[in-house]
Amino acid sequence: ALKHRLTTVDSLQQEVAGLTRDNEQLLAKSRRLDEAEKRAKEATVLEATLKSVRAEALKQEQAFNVLTDGHIELQKTAETSAASLTEAEAKIVELKSQLQASEGKLTTASKVSAELVAAR
């Protein structure tokens, strides 16, 4: 009977050792699952952050495009204004030339008029 009890104790010790190993394996799996769950939560946060950053980048790109379009329009306006200024300057030169010609004719007319008055 003692031998039977020793065999039973030995058998129970082996079963306890097996259960202890199983328990340690389950604890290790549980830690891995906890770690995986933690990483999944971090990935979700990172994904949300990435979406937010992408949305902000899109807004900034759109703002840049608006500024670029505005700059192009300003440049076109400046070019048009420069062309108009050049035309105005050419017209001023032409009008000065006409004024000088008119002054010359007026001077000639005044001399002729003075000569006619003197001749009478």
Side-chain angles (χ1 to χ4, degrees), residues 1-7:
L2 182 59
K3 189 176 184 183
H4 177 65
R5 283 186 181 175
L6 287 175
T7 303

Side-chain angles (χ1 to χ4, degrees), residues 84-100:
S84 296
L85 180 60
T86 301
E87 289 175 15
E89 288 171 341
K91 187 69 174 173
I92 288 170
V93 169
E94 179 185 332
L95 290 173
K96 281 182 179 179
S97 176
Q98 289 176 2
L99 179 60
Q100 287 173 348

Side-chain angles (χ1 to χ4, degrees), residues 58-78:
L58 181 60
K59 286 179 188 176
Q60 289 182 4
E61 181 181 2
Q62 290 169 343
F64 176 78
N65 289 341
V66 167
L67 288 174
T68 300
D69 291 346
H71 175 73
I72 291 170
E73 287 301 315
L74 284 174
Q75 192 172 10
K76 287 179 183 176
T77 301

Side-chain angles (χ1 to χ4, degrees), residues 11-42:
S11 175
L12 288 173
Q13 285 177 338
Q14 288 177 359
E15 190 174 336
V16 166
L19 289 173
T20 301
R21 277 191 307 275
D22 290 348
N23 189 36
E24 288 173 358
Q25 290 174 351
L26 287 173
L27 285 173
K29 285 181 182 179
S30 176
R31 284 191 295 270
R32 287 193 299 270
L33 285 174
D34 288 347
E35 188 62 31
E37 185 177 317
K38 180 181 172 184
R39 283 193 216 122
K41 287 178 183 178
E42 290 172 354

